[in-house]
Amino acid sequence: MPGITMAVMSYLEAIRETLKQEMRRDSRIIIYGEDVGVRGGVFRVTEGLQKEFGEDRVIDSPLAEAAIVGTAIGAAVNGLRPIPEIQFADFIFPAMNQIVEEAARIRYRSNGTFGVPLVIRAPFGGGVHGALYHSQSVEAFFAHVPGLKVVIPGTPYDAKGLLAAAVEDEDPVLYFEHKAAYRSLKGEVPDERYLIPIGKADLKRKGTDLSIITYGLTVNYALKAAETLDQEGISVEVLDLRSIRPLDVEMILDTAKKTGKVLIVHEDNLTGGIGGEVSALIAEHALFHLDAPLRRLAGPDVPAMPYSPPLEHAFLVTSDKITAAARDLAKF
Amino acid sequence: MAEVVLMPQLGESVTEGTIGQWLKKVGDAVEKYESLLEVMTDKVNAEVPAPIGGTISKILVEDGQTVAVGTPICEIAVEGGSETESNAPTGGAESSVPSPTSLSSETIPPQHVAADVSAKDGESLRGRYSPAVRRLAAENRINPDTLSGTGAKGRVTRQDVLKAVEEQSHTAEVKQEIADNSTVQTPAANNARTAPVSPVPLVAGATAVIDPDDEIVPLSSIRNVIAERMVRSKMTVPHAWLMMEVDVSGLVALRDRLKEAFKAKEGVSLTYLPFMLRAVIQALKAVPEMNAQWNGDSIVLKKHINIGMATATDRGLVVPVIKNADEKNIVGLAKVSQDLVKRARSGRLTMDDLNGGTFTVDNTGAIGTVLTYPIINAPEAGIITMESIVKRPVVINDMVAIRSMMNVCISFDHRVVDGAEAGQFIRLVKDNLEAIGPSTSVY
């Protein structure tokens, strides 16, 4: 596009650059979390931010997630735009009460008088030998709660646009970043600020034989699977949800109606996962377009991500697993 | 290695079959195509050939048991294979299924049966339709039974239907071109696959009122098939009806004169039926528009005259067919019709006996009626009845005479012909019958 400059950056860099851009634009934005200041975050997402914006805006917090989110809610109600970081999504549960009982309902409870313009960032997901306490996917817990928005970008481009949109939003948004995506995903990201509307999915690839609906890191695995299957003559459509609350019902139904065969993929475990909600929407509204049973490919229902590399690999959704599941569905 | 043999589908709308008897037992050697067993369905008994040579290693369904189409019924151990157990019909499923189409009259062979599917059992998915397939088939007036399935285990997929829709519109264009350009008649064979089947509208009938002491009889599958076909014919074919009186005094005198000698000479009784058949066949020759079928956007003129005979049996109505009936004289028609009726009543008809009818004759008079309004055996264009022969006073040359009178009634598809052709046809039937006199030859 003329007049727009692009840089190739990693998923992590896209998030960092967006944080900087937003903080320069809006002085009400503060960052608050464990090791986000001096150390620049355990993954270095906030590296250099304290230096640029000072200790008042990039604050190292105590190891107390309930306090991090609780004080951020208070700051947000009082006019700031906090972007607290939960160091690992696995640690978000102490803050569950603050998020679900307070952040999610203040607008409703105050009859619209107060909003909580808050973006909670948290790295999640496995595949980096993080084991039981550094690998979980937690999105389904929050997607269940009315009053919250949950976004999970799958590319550096979407990471920037969704983060800017989350910052702009007057209500609480959970912004989950897959830690295995941080340095493995690279892509062109425009320098200019842009917003990707929350609740809008993105058709990452068009196809005719079946649809894969997924989000986050697995979008990339699904695209790779689609490439492989293309060589076998199977045409796969890939829909990236980007927002898992609210879901883009229209695009979900469009792709289901178009191909009649749907495979839903996520790393989060199967039972009670987003795949169930997507399946229900399709079953309710697109039954007469379905040519095969809906299928879900997800993490197994085991208590946590194992540390043993072979077991961790067995847990994870891979491109090969998606290819096999999609091939099977295409043949049905 | 062992091949699994599945219960074949012996014809359209047949969903299950009963093992009549096994012609082989465990340990017997069979050659490819050698008969393995007899299968009975609602209408026919058929022998099922071995799909492969080998030794019977297992019989999975015993004599007299009824199982769904596609159920494994036996296993054949193949020479050279070491194991006799087969866990999965590894790709053998398709090769060992006696192709349903080869046993029925369907004209289209399946292009390719299921590829390597992760099937854990040999259960066929033919006849199991997804919501998308049902909707698309209904919207485009396609009968999915007529499509070959490219999906898992022979399943007809959404894309198979979409392909057929595309071909249908293409065929329609071609047919239009042929009609536009020349006098060439549309070859009926072309239509077999895509002939639009009018869907039966899903209007619920009145619900039965059940009192406590009433008995509820579950539908046999033949009852089900009859019900489905009658509803389809009545709801999709515009029936029109005509009746004519026929003076068969000459025929009655002829039969009375010949019946003893005929029986002695030919071994079968001389009834009125072959004369009626002959009269109808001659009329069809003269009015070929009646020997036709409605095809949505065209009319198929049938080249052969194959007469179906509506026949009551203990189990329900069946309509065996006299093939190339126009090539037979009275003696031939008497013999073949009595043979078919006998076999229909003893359940010994073959699939071939039931296929290919182009017009139906119904001898309703056998039960004493004088007027009938028959339902057309779709997709045929007409059905004619012969009613009871009764002596009645009639006026001939201004004088009252006692004559043997018979009514003939015809229901015809008013899309295919008008009253003029149907009237001409039934008039010819009347003339043909009245032309028979006491001295007419039956040879």
Side-chain angles (χ1 to χ4, degrees), chain B residues 86-336:
Chain B
S86 81
N87 296 324
T90 50
E94 69 250 36
S95 59
S96 65
V97 186
S99 161
T101 46
S102 69
L103 288 165
S104 78
S105 72
E106 300 231 14
T107 44
I108 309 299
Q111 288 159 337
H112 36 151
V113 192
D116 57 317
V117 173
S118 60
K120 281 163 189 76
D121 53 22
E123 195 192 334
S124 165
L125 283 178
R126 272 204 76 78
R128 299 291 300 271
Y129 300 124
S130 70
V133 166
R134 282 182 184 277
R135 183 181 54 83
L136 287 168
E139 281 173 7
N140 294 287
R141 300 163 70 84
I142 284 173
N143 179 357
D145 287 342
T146 63
L147 304 180
S148 54
T150 61
K153 292 177 263 181
R155 192 181 75 94
V156 173
T157 66
R158 172 178 161 277
Q159 289 181 341
D160 292 334
V161 182
L162 290 173
K163 199 167 143 236
V165 171
E166 212 171 281
E167 282 171 13
Q168 180 173 274
S169 56
H170 178 68
T171 310
E173 282 163 25
V174 172
K175 280 193 266 184
Q176 189 56 45
E177 271 171 38
I178 291 170
D180 289 349
N181 296 344
S182 70
T183 55
V184 178
Q185 283 165 335
T186 310
N190 283 355
N191 308 327
R193 182 191 174 118
T194 52
V197 173
S198 309
V200 179
L202 297 168
V203 180
T207 314
V209 178
I210 303 166
D211 292 321
D213 46 355
D214 292 344
E215 186 188 353
I216 296 166
V217 183
L219 290 184
S220 63
S221 29
I222 188 169
R223 213 53 266 148
N224 241 327
V225 172
I226 291 171
E228 191 251 332
R229 297 213 171 143
M230 293 302 135
V231 169
R232 174 175 287 187
S233 176
K234 266 299 227 189
M235 295 189 85
T236 61
V237 180
H239 284 59
W241 184 84
L242 289 173
M243 184 184 88
M244 226 170 248
E245 292 182 308
V246 185
D247 183 343
V248 289
S249 304
L251 170 60
V252 171
L254 174 69
R255 177 175 171 268
D256 283 347
R257 182 172 72 78
L258 289 181
K259 62 183 177 189
E260 305 294 334
F262 189 91
K263 174 88 186 179
K265 191 170 173 196
E266 304 297 342
V268 294
S269 308
L270 183 62
T271 66
Y272 295 115
L273 180 66
F275 295 98
M276 177 66 180
L277 291 170
R278 191 86 193 110
V280 168
I281 292 158
Q282 286 168 339
L284 286 173
K285 277 277 188 199
V287 189
E289 295 86 350
M290 290 301 302
N291 198 50
Q293 293 179 1
W294 180 252
N295 189 37
D297 55 357
S298 55
I299 288 168
V300 180
L301 294 176
K302 302 301 284 183
K303 286 297 171 199
H304 295 273
I305 294 179
N306 301 333
I307 303 291
M309 297 187 306
T311 307
T313 72
D314 294 346
R315 289 179 294 173
L317 175 74
V318 293
V319 187
V321 175
I322 303 172
K323 297 281 163 59
N324 298 315
D326 53 330
E327 294 169 6
K328 292 183 165 61
N329 63 8
I330 294 292
V331 181
L333 290 169
K335 285 185 175 170
V336 70

Side-chain angles (χ1 to χ4, degrees), chain A residues 27 34 136 140 164 187 257 266 332:
Chain A
S27 61
E34 296 159 12
Q136 293 174 61
K257 288 177 181 175
H266 51 67
F332 180 79

Side-chain angles (χ1 to χ4, degrees), chain A residues 244-265:
Chain A
I244 59 170
R245 185 182 188 105
L247 285 168
D248 189 338
V249 178
E250 196 182 332
M251 288 195 81
I252 290 169
L253 298 181
D254 282 351
T255 191
K257 288 177 181 175
K258 179 180 170 190
T259 64
K261 292 180 176 182
V262 179
L263 171 67
I264 304 155
V265 178

Side-chain angles (χ1 to χ4, degrees), chain A residues 38-259:
Chain A
V38 176
R39 190 167 164 78
V42 289
F43 291 100
R44 304 290 181 269
V45 175
T46 53
E47 190 163 48
L49 266 62
Q50 195 179 57
K51 203 171 173 189
E52 180 176 346
F53 301 104
E55 289 184 8
D56 291 343
R57 291 186 68 193
V58 182
I59 305 160
D60 280 318
S61 73
L63 302 187
E65 287 77 13
I68 294 171
V69 176
T71 50
I73 292 168
V77 170
N78 285 286
L80 296 182
R81 314 285 291 193
I83 311 181
E85 177 187 296
I86 301 295
Q87 194 169 64
F88 286 88
D90 311 61
F91 309 158
I92 204 167
F93 298 109
M96 193 83 177
N97 184 63
Q98 291 298 321
I99 297 169
V100 175
E101 301 279 351
E102 307 300 342
R105 16 186 108 135
I106 283 179
R107 180 171 298 286
Y108 186 79
R109 195 173 109 192
S110 67
N111 202 20
T113 308
F114 301 104
V116 183
L118 170 76
V119 181
I120 302 172
R121 286 182 43 250
F124 78 106
V128 296
H129 312 308
L132 278 68
Y133 294 98
H134 299 81
S135 303
Q136 293 174 61
S137 298
V138 301
E139 63 270 23
F141 293 105
F142 299 98
H144 181 63
V145 181
L148 297 180
K149 298 190 175 92
V150 182
V151 299
I152 304 183
T155 66
Y157 179 91
D158 288 350
K160 176 167 182 172
L162 280 172
L163 183 52
V167 170
E168 196 99 315
D169 204 284
E170 293 301 327
D171 293 302
V173 178
L174 287 109
Y175 183 96
F176 292 123
E177 308 156 9
H178 200 294
K179 61 181 80 74
Y182 274 152
R183 291 178 169 80
S184 67
L185 297 186
K186 293 196 168 58
E188 286 192 332
V189 180
D191 294 343
E192 283 71 21
R193 183 171 193 259
Y194 57 94
L195 305 180
I196 289 175
I198 294 173
K200 283 298 292 176
D202 185 36
L203 200 56
K204 289 282 196 280
R205 183 189 173 102
K206 286 189 177 182
T208 53
D209 293 335
L210 72 110
S211 304
I212 299 177
I213 300 178
T214 184
Y215 54 87
L217 181 62
T218 45
V219 168
N220 302 276
Y221 300 162
L223 288 168
K224 197 175 161 210
E227 281 295 326
T228 307
L229 292 170
D230 190 53
Q231 286 159 21
E232 298 174 19
I234 298 169
S235 167
V236 179
E237 181 148 309
V238 178
L239 183 69
D240 176 3
L241 291 174
R242 298 199 296 203
S243 296
I244 59 170
R245 185 182 188 105
L247 285 168
D248 189 338
V249 178
E250 196 182 332
M251 288 195 81
I252 290 169
L253 298 181
D254 282 351
T255 191
K257 288 177 181 175
K258 179 180 170 190
T259 64

Side-chain angles (χ1 to χ4, degrees), chain B residues 7-17 39-46 48 69-70 98-107 126-127 129 143 145-146 221 225 228-229 350-352 354-355:
Chain B
M7 173 61 76
Q9 182 165 23
L10 295 172
E12 209 186 318
S13 54
V14 174
T15 55
E16 56 181 29
V39 173
M40 303 188 293
T41 68
D42 310 324
K43 293 195 169 180
V44 297
N45 295 340
V48 176
V69 167
S99 161
T101 46
S102 69
L103 288 165
S104 78
S105 72
E106 300 231 14
T107 44
R126 272 204 76 78
Y129 300 124
N143 179 357
D145 287 342
T146 63
S221 29
V225 172
E228 191 251 332
R229 297 213 171 143
T350 66
M351 206 57 222
D352 196 44
L354 291 166
N355 286 324

